[in-house]
Amino acid sequence: MATLERLFHPRGVAIIGASTNPVRIGGAPVKALSEFGFKGRIYPVNPKYDAIAGLPCYDDVSEIDGACDLAVIAVPARATAGALRACAAKQIPFAVVLSGGYRESGDDGAALEDDVRRAVEETGIRIVGPNCQGVLNLSDRLYATFGAIANEPDMAAGPVSMAFQSGGFGFTIALLCEESGIGFRYLVSSGNETDITTPELLDAFIDDPGTKVAFAMVEGVSDGRALQAAGRKGAACGKPVIIWKIGNSETGARAAASHTANMTGSYDIYQAAFRQSGILEVTDVEALRDCFAVFGAGRLPKGNGVAVITITGGSGIAFADRAVAGGLQLPDLSDATTDALRCVVPVFGSVQNPVDVTANLFNEVENFTDAVDVVLGDPSVDQLCVLMASVSGATAEAVSGAIVDAAAKTDKPVTVAWSARRRNAEAAYRLLESADIPIIPTPVRAADASVALHRFAMSRKRLAADTGNSAPVIGHELPPGSGALDEQAGKALLRAYGIPVTEDRIIPLDGTIAAAVNGLTFPLVAKILSPDIAHKTDIGGVRLNIADGPALAEAAAEILDNARNAAPDARIEGVLVSEMVTGQECLIGVVNDDVFGPTVAVGLGGVFAEVLRDVTYRVAPFDAKVAREMLDELRGRALFDGVRGGAPLDVAALTDVLAAVSRLAWDGRDRIAELDINPLFVGADGQGVIAADALVVLA
Amino acid sequence: MATLERLFHPRGVAIIGASTNPVRIGGAPVKALSEFGFKGRIYPVNPKYDAIAGLPCYDDVSEIDGACDLAVIAVPARATAGALRACAAKQIPFAVVLSGGYRESGDDGAALEDDVRRAVEETGIRIVGPNCQGVLNLSDRLYATFGAIANEPDMAAGPVSMAFQSGGFGFTIALLCEESGIGFRYLVSSGNETDITTPELLDAFIDDPGTKVAFAMVEGVSDGRALQAAGRKGAACGKPVIIWKIGNSETGARAAASHTANMTGSYDIYQAAFRQSGILEVTDVEALRDCFAVFGAGRLPKGNGVAVITITGGSGIAFADRAVAGGLQLPDLSDATTDALRCVVPVFGSVQNPVDVTANLFNEVENFTDAVDVVLGDPSVDQLCVLMASVSGATAEAVSGAIVDAAAKTDKPVTVAWSARRRNAEAAYRLLESADIPIIPTPVRAADASVALHRFAMSRKRLAADTGNSAPVIGHELPPGSGALDEQAGKALLRAYGIPVTEDRIIPLDGTIAAAVNGLTFPLVAKILSPDIAHKTDIGGVRLNIADGPALAEAAAEILDNARNAAPDARIEGVLVSEMVTGQECLIGVVNDDVFGPTVAVGLGGVFAEVLRDVTYRVAPFDAKVAREMLDELRGRALFDGVRGGAPLDVAALTDVLAAVSRLAWDGRDRIAELDINPLFVGADGQGVIAADALVVLA
């Protein structure tokens, strides 16, 4: 989306409401733009002044006499809509609205924000904000901003672009990362996001040739699928989208009929949606900074094998603990590799992975170089981490030089875990930095970063093979109105999508069982049939294991009685009868999420879902391969392989049904609010699955 | 244990094998001791020199002519034992053996280490090492060390003491922490721990009045109970013991008969033992550094309520996410508090917790001071975290001053999350540091540190009430020999400890069932009785739900047949018969761990234990309160409260049985290698528990 190009690379910038006071929101950008190296033209606009900071000041935006692609709006909230219309009339395509006083400050402010929205819609001008802290492009030294960041003239340029709603926290994070060696491309505080939103910014970051890593901190987005699209696009072109989602401590209570909707928190869905679309999630600054460092270097591993070269045994062990926990392997090195290492590593070191070259080897840099070359050349090694402890001075410089040389001969990622004090090792730091070798202060964080590299590389492969689910729309006709369907109607919907359901008969309200048992084999199940009774078991509306006709008649009478007593106003249609089914109980559900739309849940039934909430999610629609990933995320996944001599379950049938449910949820997204298939019985391999109940709630 | 006092506070230090070369292990300590401010006497010992670094050099340790409490041994491995004997003869009570070349370098080295051990045992000299990087006491500027740390004359003194086996990694961690504001008391690289071990060092740290926080990095210890004792002692006097356990990525496969032993990894037990004894576990440097910061300040919260004062909404949310996940609450502030806040907080801020005072308030320090005072005074607030973002300059100084003043009026912990660049806020940093207000760079890390403070405070309370389990020894006579007991003998042991077991009868080898069924009510269970068949189900040795006498006879015959076919060499004693029991299946087990000795495991049965490994541990013996903590750690703990209308289970009976098993495991620690009670059936509240099987393996 090249359409934001001029926002980040304006030929000229107007500051509407410019001020001579450099701590005011109208003064800070004038000062920062004029002093920090911005090469474009700067047009302060304010009828009160003739000149600001040595620049001629314009009475009105219409008077601007040169190319201008961006307006910084620093006038009060009530004047903003007018200012935007004036900018649009002057053909200025973008504005950054720094002013506050909109919906964050009550009803009056919300009305002013509506005015701003109308100005945007009517003129076509695109805006960042309002109530934001501005936009920076550090490659062009564009500081369209105020506050602490406008006092940092020396922020390093680099390959990382960031968007964040909260300017104060976002810029604090940027400063922390910059302090530890990260350079930035675009920094955007998006504020109220009345027009340009986080997903659109991420998309623009990925399109930008100067950006290698795109990050956003979000409290919430309105269009979750746009966020996913940005993640997928980033994965496709090798630029990870990293997100820190804040605001997750509320458990998100819903008032819903289905079990799925009741147990699903919005953060669960965010996390699953991130995994589904290759988005990396972080939850603190250090992990984020380290991802910036390793992804900024631009190399990805081809597999899960990581080699470690260390000078202290303890740090190698700490790295291994964490790397293995994160899904990496420390592969055995080949005989050729260990033989070669034996020629250069002291006997009290180790030639096995983690390779302990001992502190001695740092004093014999030729041998160290050989060791790094040999390890990087081993075919089982997909990436390398060198643990340099706090080695300083000339030794650090020699070692760094050797690492830089070795890394230049390969495209495998090479990371250094190193914590020398900068003042004791400046030359070595510069060597590594100029060669784009990421430096991470501790072995554990280096392991986490290696894990992140691997995860993103795997996501890329997975997404490249992801065909989605473009099965044709079935168009099963749903009854009019809203509310729950009865079980029979719910099962009809499932059947239309090829999902096996039990063969059901109905005992009418007079209790005649003859037609119901015709062709069914005992034992049977009987359940109340009513669109108004979602939780049938709770009201005594279910009887299992019914052995014969007389027992069925008795059960039907009792169920009807129970239902009438418990729910006197419910529409009761009869008693549904079907054969007993066995197999592993599972639960499949659909919620129609405000952010992500129709989303499918799956879990193992019984205690797994109810006590452990062992449930996983994917945004619909998706194919059977994605469904398989869902199953692999369950803590109880071993059950699918058969436990204690049990047969493996029919996972192929289960994943087909999951994909079908995802299609159903997507096709019916305008009508279907919730859906539960609980229980779904999964048979042994080859024996299929069958839905024994269905609850569909229409919106 | 004041006995290590002179190790850390020697009146004089001899360097045996002193060198004029300051990068050699015999030269570095001479240089560091003489130049970095050590006030005691320094005695270089080496017949080759007359003087080193301006100090007279002694030909032999016997010639030392003043008080000397510590010898630094820097002679080759083969000369160390002799040097230690010479030191002992000179009445030097402690030595630090820097030399390497012992068991880490093969059999010859191991023999030399045995010589060292003998010298220690025979003379009574106490040693740190060998193969270590030395001992520092930064209060006394004692640098009995070599390597990178011996080139850091300005390491700050402070309240943190650290022990670590790996010198390279340990000192790297110390340097990283010191760089970010942590001061140290004692630093000990313990190397091979031939004499003085990590638990003894931790114990000495806790006894030291200058130490407020004790930390050890361990790969493993030989005496886990000594580690626990240090943790308990630290908790009793308010000094946390923090441990980073490395080397956990191997899953620790055991070859054992019992289910418990097979599924238990040694790291599981370490972690449980840490929790049990109030030890805080960390797994990376940042968390460790932050614990040093907050515990070094010396304040603990009284409850789980944390208040946040922030100037950016986003950081307050990020703090809350993590604090709540860690078990803290952000309590609602009282009406009086919010009323008072309304007088000083701008309307676009928030007077609810997290309190958003907005960046404006930093410019009105009197109002900010009022806000901090009011929040700290709220009775629901047990600790406070102020999120200062990256505020710098004079504003930071004023804000810091206000925080220092407010903190001085209370004993509640006050933590600051702040990441201003030091050069932009030096005065403010100094103000906070001199008042012992911990500074943590990010809100998320601050939340983690607040959680750690709360956990330790809770551990203190819990441990203060922990009575252990001093029930009298039962002294049940176990049969001689080793190997598994049969089920009957195993149950007899349980019964002796008051643990309810099923009433069992035996069908003899001739299959006569008459006596067996006498007094039992069908349905019955029949199981093979043999000390040689631990996994009865696997060989067809168990039949459940036997309805009547003929079925029992048939089942018994079949079981005997199956057993003879599957295990022709097994000693078969008959078929055990008992009534069917119902209830929630649980598993209780005992392993006799190499490090911690007898340790009890408990889990929910069936899929919980087998698929999810939802099992928790405590080192035996312990009382029923500790047993209750075990149950609360299970992921499936909700089952004890009753699920979907089920009755609550008899937790009191279960915890009593767990305490009894722990007593049994402790009493029998010399004989009992493993024990499984699987299944143990837990009835509804008031209906007790009953062990349906027992496997006891003697060592």
Side-chain angles (χ1 to χ4, degrees), chain A residues 520-581:
Chain A
L520 295 184
T521 307
F522 287 95
L524 300 179
V525 181
K527 296 182 277 190
I528 191 70
L529 183 65
S530 163
D532 300 323
I533 301 177
H535 300 295
K536 300 184 271 274
T537 305
D538 297 352
I539 60 120
V542 178
R543 286 281 297 272
L544 305 175
N545 262 319
I546 299 165
D548 53 28
L552 178 61
E554 187 192 317
E558 191 183 315
I559 285 170
L560 289 168
D561 256 15
N562 288 344
R564 288 185 184 116
N565 289 333
D569 299 330
R571 289 164 292 171
I572 292 175
E573 300 164 341
V575 172
L576 202 72
V577 177
S578 51
E579 293 180 0
M580 284 288 288
V581 192

Side-chain angles (χ1 to χ4, degrees), chain B residues 418-443:
Chain B
W418 186 37
S419 57
R421 300 183 180 198
R422 181 122 197 163
R423 62 177 181 273
N424 299 334
E426 184 63 35
Y429 273 101
R430 292 223 178 126
L431 264 177
L432 293 171
E433 286 163 357
S434 63
D436 273 346
I437 306 282
I439 304 165
I440 294 187
T442 78

Side-chain angles (χ1 to χ4, degrees), chain B residues 619-650:
Chain B
V619 176
F622 52 78
D623 63 19
K625 279 200 301 288
V626 170
R628 176 74 232 205
E629 293 161 24
M630 295 178 78
L631 301 184
D632 288 341
E633 286 174 7
L634 294 172
R635 290 203 293 266
R637 61 187 168 275
L639 278 179
F640 293 113
D641 303 327
V643 172
R644 274 216 143 179
L649 303 184
D650 199 335

